[in-house]
């Protein structure tokens, strides 16, 4: 039996972060532990996920020193620029929703329904296009 992943949601108190959580809950995504991370001004707030309250922790350079497998980032480009490489260096696979890594030739830009195989060559960070581009690519792929 394979281990369930430990997940971090960076930007957990924002609109997209809360949508990440809603989708994870709707799809009953398996996980062992989940960590809610955000800016200093959101630290200490609580987020309800799957009927349980989680305290939001401040995102710092040390946030990824714990056992985290996947980090879903939606906290803006400057946050991703600073913290995604730190997370990747700690062995975390980052899925970044900002525009920070979209044009970086070293980072796969992935729409799962279109080019999921590109995930294989990631070096710790995976980018995704903006919402309108994702929708267009799914339709245009055929």
């Amino acid at each position: 039996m394979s281990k369930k992943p430990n997940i971090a949601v960076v930007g957990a108190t924002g609109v997209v972060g809360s949508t990440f959580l809603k989708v994870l809950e709707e799809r009953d995504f398996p996980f062992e532990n989940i960590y809610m991370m955000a800016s200093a001004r959101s630290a200490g707030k609580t987020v309800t996920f799957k009927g349980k309250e989680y305290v939001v922790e401040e995102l710092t350079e040390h946030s990824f020193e714990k056992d985290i497998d996947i980090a879903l980032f939606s906290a803006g480009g400057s946050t991703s620029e600073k913290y995604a490489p730190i997370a990747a260096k700690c062995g975390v696979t980052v899925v970044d929703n900002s525009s920070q890594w979209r044009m970086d030739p070293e980072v796969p830009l992935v729409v799962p329904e279109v080019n999921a195989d590109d995930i294989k060559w990631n070096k710790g960070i995976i980018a995704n296009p903006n919402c309108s581009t994702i929708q267009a690519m799914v339709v245009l792929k055929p």
Side-chain angles (χ1 to χ4, degrees), residues 10-11 13 36-45 55-60 63 75 79 83:
V10 177
T13 58
M36 309 300 175
M37 299 179 184
S39 68
R41 98 178 154 262
S42 292
K45 292 182 180 180
V55 176
V56 176
E57 59 185 85
E58 180 181 357
L59 178 65
T60 72
S63 293
T79 299
Y83 293 102

Side-chain angles (χ1 to χ4, degrees), residues 4-77:
K4 293 179 185 174
N6 293 319
I7 303 168
V9 178
V10 177
T13 58
V15 174
V16 177
S18 63
T19 302
F20 283 163
L21 294 170
K22 181 180 175 189
V23 171
L24 289 169
E25 187 167 1
E26 286 172 353
R27 295 185 180 205
D28 199 23
F29 190 88
F31 66 92
E32 188 67 32
N33 297 298
I34 190 164
Y35 303 96
M36 309 300 175
M37 299 179 184
S39 68
R41 98 178 154 262
S42 292
K45 292 182 180 180
T46 58
V47 172
T48 304
F49 175 67
K50 294 188 99 172
K52 183 177 173 190
E53 294 222 337
Y54 293 85
V55 176
V56 176
E57 59 185 85
E58 180 181 357
L59 178 65
T60 72
E61 289 86 358
H62 302 287
S63 293
F64 301 100
E65 293 173 359
K66 58 178 81 70
D67 184 21
I68 298 172
D69 302 295
I70 302 166
L72 305 175
F73 269 64
S74 186

